């Protein structure tokens, strides 16, 4: 922005004074921030550095020590140079002691051998400074305008660097935090030489602060990032042999970094904005908050045609509600086996649930695209993601759902890996007689002897692959957008009811969920709620008064294990005597015979209905 001493010497008013440099050649490239006229020896105390001092010498000390002190004070304050007009105090030249002191301090000392008005020099230099400032201001304005346009256009990093290098006239490099080059522009220089051994070279460039110049390497560096998350650095090479980069380059590199960070946010959030519109439309269908025609029109503007299509509501949710890092495995998976999934680094906390839902929404959207389907996709609540698929023909429904489920399985990288296959058993001896079939055990049969393994109805074989961590459910297909709400609600209810299903079906439909699905559909029915209170009300009241016992869980374990007390005790993690004692207490509280098949069937249905009623 400021002219150098060398440039000042080339100005016409200065040349009219017949300038001659007598000392301080090394300081000719110092910037001249201002011109100051002084005739007193203690002028240094009034200066701030960067001034070109003009004097006739009439007020300078007459002794050598005083001259050395005068030159030393000017050098200490950081003046750009000293110009002495000959003819008043010094006729043939400045004193040698003054020249020697200036040379030692690298301070340019100029003799003006012909008289010239100082005001002409001051005007010329100050005009040069003002012109440079105006040029800098225009350049800054162009930088702001150029990068504002790039930000609005969402330009790619390569284009941002190309235009930044064009404005700067210097090579630029964009790297990530691992010092890998993401984009670059050599500004006409050799790209191979620019990037040769880049990582090693870049790690040596460590200027302080977010934007700073490293004079040792000659790189101006700024950090790239937004929202408190830095993801790279932008570097501009400024020759170390020259002075520090001008202010406009600092502005340029910071604006370029802001454009890059904004572009990354726009690209990352573009799909998020589209998904927000999807959520608005799906919510409008479920809540009747917007006219159906308006939903169809806005969906069509997004490229999703819903008119005259066969519509199928699909809901995808995790089997487990907890947002912990190990919730991505099946409910019945042992805890130590839950550490190998993709999300094993996720920290448990308030952010885990939204992050898990966001990942699931992205997977559902990707699966719709991979299956070459069209539709609206969005989270429906804190646990489930919905999709309204628009199919051209009802005959394509099953094929489309199968393709979607398969694509989702491929996208979901956090599904638990299949357990390794057990080693093959040795071949059975030949001619072994066949074992007669064991008769079925009646429901009211007594417990098996202790020590015999009893598998629950929901247990899967040891060598079977674990269930998927997610449930895919679909509602009945409908022929108009006005009926889409029914399909979506049915899919949500089926997904909730299928969470406890021991099977691992690619896509659950209403016939798959049986009694649990029926109860879920009827969960808002007052008569069902009355039935639950009649059957389980006393036990629920007892548990409310004795929160440490929770007898409802004991009853659930007993019924879910087919009324097998040994298996129920194991499932409840209780000893058999303690389990028997709790069952007896439950029988007294409910005034029920727990050995009765009919009574237990009624209690089991009430438990399933309670689960349906409690589900939001």
């Amino acid at each position: 922005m400021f002219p150098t001493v060398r440039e000042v010497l080339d100005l016409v008013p200065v040349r009219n004074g017949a300038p001659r440099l007598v000392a301080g050649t090394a300081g000719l490239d110092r910037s001249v921030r201002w011109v100051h006229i002084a005739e007193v020896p203690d002028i240094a105390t009034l200066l701030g550095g960067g001034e070109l001092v003009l004097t006739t010498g009439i007020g300078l000390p007459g002794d050598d020590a005083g001259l050395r002190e005068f030159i030393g004070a000017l050098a200490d304050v950081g003046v750009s140079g000293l110009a002495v007009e000959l003819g008043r105090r010094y006729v043939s030249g400045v004193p040698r002691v003054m020249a020697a002191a200036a040379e030692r301090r690298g301070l340019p000392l100029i003799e003006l051998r012909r008289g010239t008005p100082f005001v002409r020099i001051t005007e010329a230099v100050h005009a040069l400074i003002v012109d440079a400032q105006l040029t800098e201001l225009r350049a800054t304005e162009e930088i702001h305008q150029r990068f504002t346009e790039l930000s609005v256009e969402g330009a790619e990093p390569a284009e941002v660097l190309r235009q930044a290098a064009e404005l700067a006239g210097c090579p630029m490099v964009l790297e990530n935090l691992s010092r890998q080059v993401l984009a670059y522009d050599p500004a006409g220089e050799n790209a191979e030489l620019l990037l040769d051994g880049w990582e090693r070279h870049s790690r040596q460039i460590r200027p302080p602060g977010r934007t700073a110049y490293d004079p040792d390497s000659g790189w101006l560096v700024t950090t790239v990032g937004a929202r408190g998350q830095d993801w790279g650095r932008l570097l501009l090479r400024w020759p170390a042999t020259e002075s520090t980069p001008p202010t406009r380059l600092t502005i340029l590199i910071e604006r370029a970094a802001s454009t890059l960070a904004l572009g990354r946010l726009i690209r990352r959030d573009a799909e998020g904005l589209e998904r927000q519109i999807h959520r608005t439309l799906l919510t409008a269908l479920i809540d009747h908050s917007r006219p159906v025609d308006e939903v169809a029109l806005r969906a069509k503007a997004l490229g999703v045609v819903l008119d005259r299509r066969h519509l199928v509501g699909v809901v995808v949710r995790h089997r487990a509600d907890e947002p912990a890092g190990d919730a991505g495995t099946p409910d019945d998976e042992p805890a130590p086996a839950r550490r190998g999934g993709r999300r094993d680094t996720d920290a448990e906390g308030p952010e885990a649930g939204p992050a898990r839902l966001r990942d699931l929404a992205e997977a559902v959207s990707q699966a719709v695209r991979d299956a070459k389907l069209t539709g609206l996709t969005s989270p429906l609540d804190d646990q489930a993601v919905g999709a309204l698929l628009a199919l051209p023909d009802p005959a394509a429904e099953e094929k489309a759902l199968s393709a979607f489920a398969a694509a989702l399985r491929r996208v979901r990288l956090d599904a638990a890996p299949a357990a390794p296959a057990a080693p093959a058993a040795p071949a059975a001896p030949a001619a072994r007689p066949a074992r007669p079939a064991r008769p079925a055990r009646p429901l009211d049969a007594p417990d098996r002897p202790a020590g015999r393994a009893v598998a629950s109805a929901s247990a899967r074989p040891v060598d079977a692959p674990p269930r998927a961590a997610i449930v895919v459910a679909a509602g009945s297909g409908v022929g108009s957008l006005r009926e889409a709400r029914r399909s979506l609600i049915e899919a949500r209810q089926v997904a909730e009811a299928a969470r406890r299903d021991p099977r691992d079906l690619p896509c659950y439909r209403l016939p798959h969920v049986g009694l649990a699905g029926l109860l879920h559909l009827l969960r808002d029915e007052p008569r069902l709620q009355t039935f639950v209170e009649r059957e389980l009300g006393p036990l629920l009241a007892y548990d409310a008064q004795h929160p440490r016992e929770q007898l409802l869980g004991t009853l659930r374990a007993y019924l879910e294990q087919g009324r097998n007390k040994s298996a129920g005790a194991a499932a409840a993690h209780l000893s058999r005597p303690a389990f028997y004692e709790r069952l007896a207490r439950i029988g007294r509280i409910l005034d029920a015979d727990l050995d009765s098949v009919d009574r237990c069937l009624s209690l089991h249905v009430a438990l399933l209905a309670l689960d349906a009623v409690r589900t939001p």
Side-chain angles (χ1 to χ4, degrees):
M1 182 181 298
F2 301 108
T4 63
V5 176
R6 192 188 307 275
E7 293 171 340
V8 169
L9 293 179
D10 286 337
L11 295 176
V12 174
V14 180
R15 289 203 308 267
N16 290 339
R20 183 172 74 92
L21 182 69
V22 297
T25 305
L28 285 178
D29 290 323
R30 290 181 179 179
S31 297
V32 178
R33 186 179 59 84
W34 204 247
V35 178
H36 196 84
I37 302 173
E39 299 294 352
V40 293
D42 59 347
I43 188 61
T45 59
L46 304 177
L47 302 178
E51 296 90 352
L52 174 63
V53 178
L54 304 180
T55 183
T56 61
I58 57 175
L60 298 186
D63 59 312
D64 292 351
L67 289 175
R68 293 192 189 97
E69 183 178 356
F70 173 72
I71 293 296
L74 293 180
D76 290 340
V77 80
V79 299
S80 301
L82 173 64
V84 181
E85 184 185 70
L86 303 181
R88 300 195 182 208
R89 173 71 182 273
Y90 308 116
V91 179
S92 59
V94 297
R96 292 182 178 179
V97 64
M98 181 186 292
E103 184 66 28
R104 283 195 302 271
R105 300 300 299 269
L107 177 67
L109 178 60
I110 300 115
E111 293 178 344
L112 297 177
R113 292 170 293 172
R114 187 186 305 140
T116 183
F118 283 173
V119 66
R120 301 289 174 80
I121 298 177
T122 301
E123 289 176 346
V125 175
H126 290 176
L128 196 64
I129 293 174
V130 171
D131 287 343
Q133 290 175 332
L134 288 176
T135 302
E136 193 81 4
L137 183 61
R138 294 190 189 99
T140 301
E141 183 180 358
E142 182 181 1
I143 289 170
H144 283 287
Q145 182 177 356
R146 184 83 63 93
F147 287 107
T148 298
E149 293 174 355
L150 292 174
S151 299
V152 172
E153 294 172 358
E156 294 292 329
E159 178 63 16
V160 175
L161 261 67
R162 185 189 70 78
Q163 298 210 28
E166 178 183 327
L167 289 173
C170 305
M172 300 192 71
V173 177
L174 174 65
E175 64 178 14
N176 60 17
L177 298 179
S178 298
R179 305 299 194 269
Q180 297 171 331
V181 177
L182 302 177
Y184 69 93
D185 191 293
E189 298 187 12
N190 190 306
E192 293 183 2
L193 294 179
L194 177 68
L195 302 179
D196 184 40
W198 176 259
E199 181 179 348
R200 175 184 53 81
H201 177 62
S202 174
R203 293 189 183 279
Q204 299 173 0
I205 306 173
R206 303 177 62 183
R210 291 187 64 84
T211 302
Y213 176 66
D214 183 11
D216 295 333
S217 61
W219 285 93
L220 177 63
V221 185
T222 189
T223 304
V224 184
R227 296 178 179 175
Q229 296 181 351
D230 299 332
W231 54 267
R233 296 198 308 174
L234 183 61
L235 300 94
L236 181 150
R237 189 170 71 183
W238 180 257
T241 56
E242 301 186 16
S243 59
T244 57
T247 305
R248 64 179 180 84
L249 289 186
T250 301
I251 296 174
L252 182 146
I253 195 172
E254 289 181 340
R255 281 304 311 270
S258 300
T259 302
L260 291 167
L262 180 60
R264 185 183 179 102
L265 288 176
I266 290 174
R267 285 188 294 274
R268 187 181 67 184
D269 294 345
E271 185 177 354
L273 178 60
E274 181 179 345
R275 191 172 296 130
Q276 289 177 19
I277 302 176
H278 281 220
R279 182 166 193 168
T280 300
L281 298 181
L282 282 179
T283 303
L285 287 175
I286 295 175
D287 299 342
H288 294 300
S289 57
R290 293 176 184 269
V292 173
D293 294 340
E294 180 183 343
V295 173
L297 184 61
R298 294 191 63 181
K300 186 176 181 180
L302 286 175
V304 181
V305 179
L306 300 178
D307 287 333
R308 294 187 294 277
R309 293 292 189 273
H310 184 71
L311 305 176
V312 182
V314 177
V315 170
V316 182
R317 64 157 300 146
H318 289 275
R319 289 187 183 271
D321 283 341
E322 64 272 11
D326 55 3
T329 57
D331 298 342
D332 48 2
E333 187 79 12
R338 302 181 184 179
R339 303 292 181 233
R342 181 176 64 88
R343 300 186 62 83
D344 57 354
T345 58
D346 289 355
E348 297 185 10
E351 298 298 327
R356 189 175 72 148
L357 182 65
R358 184 171 59 250
D359 290 344
L360 183 59
E362 292 175 357
V364 171
S365 297
Q366 184 64 42
V368 170
R369 292 192 294 267
D370 291 350
K372 295 181 172 51
L373 301 172
T374 59
L376 301 175
T377 63
S378 163
L380 299 179
D381 51 39
D382 294 339
Q383 303 293 341
V385 176
L388 182 62
L389 303 181
L391 308 178
D393 188 351
E397 180 177 318
E398 291 300 330
K399 182 178 179 180
L401 291 175
S402 298
F404 169 76
L408 185 61
R409 291 293 180 98
R410 290 192 299 268
V411 173
R412 288 289 297 170
L413 300 181
D414 60 340
R432 172 175 291 182
R435 178 177 295 176
R438 178 178 296 174
R441 176 175 175 266
L443 290 176
D444 55 351
D447 293 338
R448 293 185 177 92
R452 177 173 296 181
V454 180
S456 70
S458 62
R460 63 175 184 266
V462 175
D463 58 348
R467 293 184 300 167
I470 58 174
V471 171
V472 180
S476 303
V478 296
S480 70
L481 189 57
R482 297 184 185 280
E483 300 177 281
R485 177 178 184 272
R486 175 168 58 85
S487 183
L488 286 167
I489 291 178
E490 181 180 311
R492 177 189 277 180
Q493 293 170 341
V494 171
E496 179 61 34
R499 293 173 57 203
R500 297 184 178 276
D501 194 290
R503 297 168 295 177
D504 187 14
L505 301 180
C507 182
Y508 286 87
R509 308 299 295 269
L510 190 58
H512 295 144
V513 295
L515 178 61
L518 175 63
L519 294 174
H520 197 84
L521 293 175
L522 299 175
R523 64 194 178 104
D524 294 328
E525 174 63 43
R527 287 175 290 185
L528 180 66
Q529 298 170 8
T530 302
F531 168 74
V532 172
E533 289 301 317
R534 184 176 67 246
E535 294 292 319
L536 300 175
L539 189 62
L540 294 174
Y542 182 88
D543 281 352
Q545 297 175 359
H546 305 82
R548 300 186 63 180
E549 293 189 42
Q550 295 301 309
L551 296 180
L552 186 70
T554 304
L555 178 61
R556 184 188 300 275
Y558 173 64
L559 297 176
E560 287 185 349
Q561 300 303 319
R563 298 174 45 249
N564 185 296
K565 296 179 181 178
S566 299
H573 305 289
L574 295 171
S575 65
R576 293 181 65 179
F579 190 75
Y580 295 163
E581 191 275 331
R582 286 195 173 198
L583 287 180
R585 197 181 321 158
I586 292 171
R588 291 192 299 269
I589 294 172
L590 295 178
D591 191 20
D593 180 8
L594 297 185
D595 291 329
S596 168
V597 176
D598 292 340
R599 191 71 177 94
C600 287
L601 176 61
S602 181
L603 291 174
H604 201 174
V605 172
L607 274 175
L608 295 176
L610 177 65
D611 293 338
V613 170
R614 285 179 170 178
T615 302

